[in-house]
């Protein structure tokens, strides 16, 4: 009788540990990881577009620049 009670208590505690703590923590970490990956992809997208746009930009003529003179 005591063996059955101990076994039942052990199984119940394992059930509570797995479904009350381990599984929710795993799901939450997976959600956070996927959201971080999504944010990284959104941040990388404008950088990639900017790299492709910089290759096609036209530079201003050299006469638009003013030489720097050092004053002492």
């Amino acid at each position: 009788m005591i063996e059955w009670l101990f076994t039942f208590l052990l199984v119940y505690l394992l059930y509570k540990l797995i479904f009350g703590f381990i599984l929710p923590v795993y799901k939450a970490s997976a959600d956070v990881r996927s959201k971080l990956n999504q944010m990284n992809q959104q941040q990388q997208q404008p950088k990639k577009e900017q790299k492709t746009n910089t290759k096609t930009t036209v530079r201003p003529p050299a006469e638009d620049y003013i030489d720097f003179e050092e004053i002492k």
Side-chain angles (χ1 to χ4, degrees), residues 53-71:
N53 288 342
T54 56
K55 293 178 182 176
T56 59
T57 58
V58 178
R59 296 184 185 236
E63 58 226 20
D64 286 348
Y65 294 106
I66 301 173
D67 289 336
F68 175 76
E69 294 182 19
E70 187 173 336
I71 301 174

Side-chain angles (χ1 to χ4, degrees), residues 2-64:
I2 294 177
E3 294 172 0
W4 283 97
L5 186 62
F6 179 71
T7 305
F8 177 74
L9 182 64
L10 184 65
V11 169
Y12 176 74
L13 290 175
L14 284 174
Y15 174 81
K16 282 294 211 178
L17 176 69
I18 292 171
F19 290 103
F21 180 72
I22 295 173
L23 198 60
V25 167
Y26 177 75
K27 286 182 179 180
S29 65
D31 288 343
V32 168
R33 190 178 309 120
S34 68
K35 287 181 182 179
L36 284 174
N37 286 338
Q38 183 181 10
M39 287 173 52
N40 271 341
Q41 288 175 351
Q42 288 176 353
Q43 288 179 353
Q44 294 291 332
Q45 189 175 16
K47 290 180 183 178
K48 288 179 183 176
E49 290 174 3
Q50 187 179 23
K51 285 182 181 179
T52 58
N53 288 342
T54 56
K55 293 178 182 176
T56 59
T57 58
V58 178
R59 296 184 185 236
E63 58 226 20
D64 286 348

